[in-house]
């Protein structure tokens, strides 16, 4: 059997790497595209929805796709340190890949605003984690300044190699389906991922690997929806901490993806996010973090709004990217669901509570 060695190895011909690029990999990605029967049924008989479950990456989020590229290129340049601001997943990924490469990693996070699992990851991988009194946008401003003044590589998605790595998600989807989907839903935070997916689809189209392009549907949290509102949000708020971002770095690129693909970027409320979060866990058996559920919350919303035109005898193929694993943020799950009851260690007591 040919072994799977990560995306740089698999998609080398589409990536800016050479024989001299030292490939730093954790055999990331090749994540499953899971058919979602219940979700499809909710939308209607000719819908076929697939979940691109990016939580099944080495560090539990889609960030590993971009990080294998960004860290490999930092090594190629001979740099010794990397830095990022993060709502949690970028820092977890940067810390892991930097550890593997033997690079110093500095992570700047908004104080008290990142999920427990992500904080633990950054720390255990040995990154220098520094919390700032401010939000993600403040943290990003600081690391940008530092990277301009010190010999340290910025590995946020402003780094073009991050986008290059992340575009491979589109390749995987098209390779799996044998064609391009009709619509692609994903959460939007700093807007790197929607930029990357659109770039990937366009490149596969140019290489004649697919005959059509999907319409891109991005979803921001209502309290952190600068692109939807048309202006930066000073104090973004949402339960989906991963996308609590008020001034996305790839704002214009996200608008380009929306406009070129004839798609949309819309906002979903925290309660819509939580209800999609529970639906995925309880009806599809897929546990994601709240931000990831924004893609499905948005799909439900558009379904109800009759956004999708009914096309006779044609299956409408929709992808929802589920960006991060549910275990990243166990506190969000516990806040959503009642704690378990405690009874006597006795058959009758347990049977009664279990409702058997
Ligand atoms: C689970 O880790 O910005 O629109 O610093 O962790 O490409 O930013 C995370 C973003 C969606 C949004 N879902 O993606 C960070 C960070 C999850 C995320 C997004 C993030 P972008």
């Amino acid at each position: 059997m040919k072994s799977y060695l990560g995306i740089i190895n698999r998609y080398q011909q589409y990536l800016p790497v050479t024989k001299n690029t030292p490939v730093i990999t954790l055999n990331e990605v090749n994540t499953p595209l899971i058919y979602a029967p219940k979700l499809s049924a909710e939308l209607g008989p000719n819908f076929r929805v697939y979940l691109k479950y990016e939580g099944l990456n080495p560090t539990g989020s889609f960030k590993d796709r971009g990080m294998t590229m960004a860290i490999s290129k930092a090594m190629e340049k001979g740099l010794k340190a990397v830095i990022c601001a993060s709502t949690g997943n970028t820092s977890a990924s940067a810390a892991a890949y930097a550890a593997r490469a033997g690079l110093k990693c500095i992570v700047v996070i908004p104080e008290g605003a990142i999920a427990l699992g992500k904080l633990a990851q950054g720390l255990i991988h040995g990154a220098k984690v520094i919390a700032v009194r401010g939000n993600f946008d403040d943290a990003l401003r600081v690391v940008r300044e530092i990277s301009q003044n010190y010999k340290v590589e910025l590995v946020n998605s402003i780094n073009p190699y991050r986008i290059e790595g992340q575009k491979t998600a589109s390749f995987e989807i098209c390779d799996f389906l044998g064609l391009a989907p009709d619509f692609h839903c994903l959460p939007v935070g700093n807007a790197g991922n929607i930029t990357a997916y659109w770039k990937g689809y366009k490149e596969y189209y140019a290489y004649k690997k697919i005959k059509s392009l999907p319409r891109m549907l991005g979803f921001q949290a209502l309290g952190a929806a600068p692109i939807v509102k048309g202006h930066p949000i000073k104090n973004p708020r949402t339960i989906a901490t991963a996308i609590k971002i008020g001034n996305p770095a790839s704002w214009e690129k996200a608008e380009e993806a929306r406009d070129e693909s004839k798609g949309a970027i819309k906002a979903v409320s925290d309660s819509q996010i939580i209800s999609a979060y529970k639906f995925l866990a309880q009806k599809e058996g897929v546990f994601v973090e709240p931000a990831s559920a924004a893609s499905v919350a948005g799909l439900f919303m558009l379904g109800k709004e009759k956004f999708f035109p009914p096309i006779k005898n044609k299956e409408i193929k929709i992808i929802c990217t589920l960006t991060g694993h549910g275990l990243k943020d166990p506190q969000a799950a516990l806040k959503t669901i009642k704690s378990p009851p405690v009874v006597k260690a006795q058959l009758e007591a347990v049977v009664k509570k279990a409702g058997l």
Side-chain angles (χ1 to χ4, degrees):
M1 200 181 98
K2 224 175 115 191
S3 54
Y4 180 80
L5 297 170
I7 53 150
I8 296 182
N9 188 275
R10 180 171 180 191
Y11 289 116
Q12 211 161 15
Q13 70 201 100
Y14 305 108
L15 294 169
V17 287
T18 68
K19 281 201 281 315
N20 301 326
T21 311
V23 177
I24 307 298
T25 179
L26 290 164
N27 294 18
E28 58 292 319
V29 306
N30 201 16
T31 54
L33 198 58
I34 306 170
Y35 172 54
K38 309 253 177 47
L39 179 48
S40 303
E42 290 278 327
L43 291 168
N46 51 349
F47 284 88
R48 205 169 165 85
V49 182
Y50 294 90
L51 308 170
K52 182 68 172 158
Y53 194 18
E54 291 284 276
L56 296 187
N57 266 298
T59 77
S61 88
F62 71 100
K63 304 285 182 182
D64 296 344
R65 283 182 195 280
M67 211 52 78
T68 181
M69 275 297 300
I71 298 290
S72 297
K73 293 305 274 192
M75 289 293 281
E76 189 177 337
K77 287 188 211 166
L79 289 159
K80 298 280 180 271
V82 296
I83 192 167
C84 66
S86 185
T87 57
N89 279 326
T90 296
S91 54
S93 187
Y97 282 81
R100 187 145 180 112
L103 294 175
K104 181 182 172 110
C105 179
I106 303 154
V107 158
V108 182
I109 53 168
E111 183 191 16
I114 81 169
L116 198 64
K118 305 174 188 181
L119 181 60
Q121 286 179 291
L123 292 169
I124 195 67
H125 285 303
K128 195 138 201 96
V129 180
I130 302 157
V132 292
R133 284 180 214 104
N135 57 31
F136 169 81
D137 304 291
D138 298 315
L140 186 60
R141 174 178 45 80
V142 173
V143 300
R144 269 179 144 152
E145 277 172 29
I146 293 173
S147 71
Q148 281 155 11
N149 292 294
Y150 294 83
K151 221 169 153 15
V152 44
E153 180 88 331
L154 186 64
V155 294
N156 279 102
S157 57
I158 310 154
N159 181 323
Y161 297 118
R162 280 277 314 278
I163 304 295
E164 290 297 316
Q166 284 173 217
K167 77 183 181 189
T168 59
S170 299
F171 300 168
E172 282 180 14
I173 290 166
C174 298
D175 287 344
F176 181 89
L177 294 175
L179 44 75
D182 300 298
F183 295 92
H184 190 123
C185 304
L186 75 173
V188 173
N190 216 18
N193 215 23
I194 191 169
T195 302
Y197 269 97
W198 183 236
K199 185 169 198 286
Y201 282 125
K202 283 197 297 187
E203 287 184 11
Y204 245 31
Y205 185 79
Y207 285 115
K208 301 203 166 25
K209 301 281 264 183
I210 49 175
K211 295 195 185 75
S212 62
L213 287 165
R215 292 170 66 182
M216 303 300 294
L217 305 174
F219 300 99
Q220 300 194 296
L222 193 57
I227 300 177
V228 179
K229 303 240 157 99
H231 56 81
I233 306 293
K234 242 202 156 113
N235 291 308
R237 275 173 215 284
T238 169
I239 181 171
T241 52
I243 53 171
K244 196 165 136 187
I245 294 174
N247 192 10
S250 301
W251 188 320
E252 281 159 26
K253 290 271 178 201
E255 288 185 333
E256 247 173 67
R258 175 194 65 193
D259 299 341
E260 289 177 11
S261 75
K262 302 192 177 58
I265 296 180
K266 303 221 169 200
V268 285
S269 69
D270 278 7
S271 74
Q272 286 173 306
I273 289 174
I274 290 303
S275 111
Y277 174 66
K278 285 164 76 174
F279 184 97
L280 283 168
Q282 296 175 2
K283 306 286 186 208
E284 301 289 5
V286 178
F287 186 26
V288 302
E289 63 171 284
S292 307
S295 58
V296 173
L299 178 56
F300 275 133
M301 181 175 77
L302 295 185
K304 281 203 195 95
E305 287 174 6
K306 306 271 180 252
F307 171 89
F308 302 101
I311 308 167
K312 260 211 180 131
N313 302 323
K314 191 196 176 287
E315 201 176 62
I316 302 177
K317 285 196 178 59
I318 304 180
I319 309 292
C320 289
T321 297
L322 303 179
T323 44
H325 202 289
L327 291 172
K328 291 271 190 178
D329 192 355
Q331 286 169 327
L334 296 174
K335 260 191 254 161
T336 307
I337 307 290
K338 265 197 284 176
S339 305
V342 180
V343 298
K344 263 200 210 143
Q346 228 179 30
L347 179 137
E348 293 81 11
V350 174
V351 165
K352 193 168 164 225
K353 266 288 175 219
L356 282 171

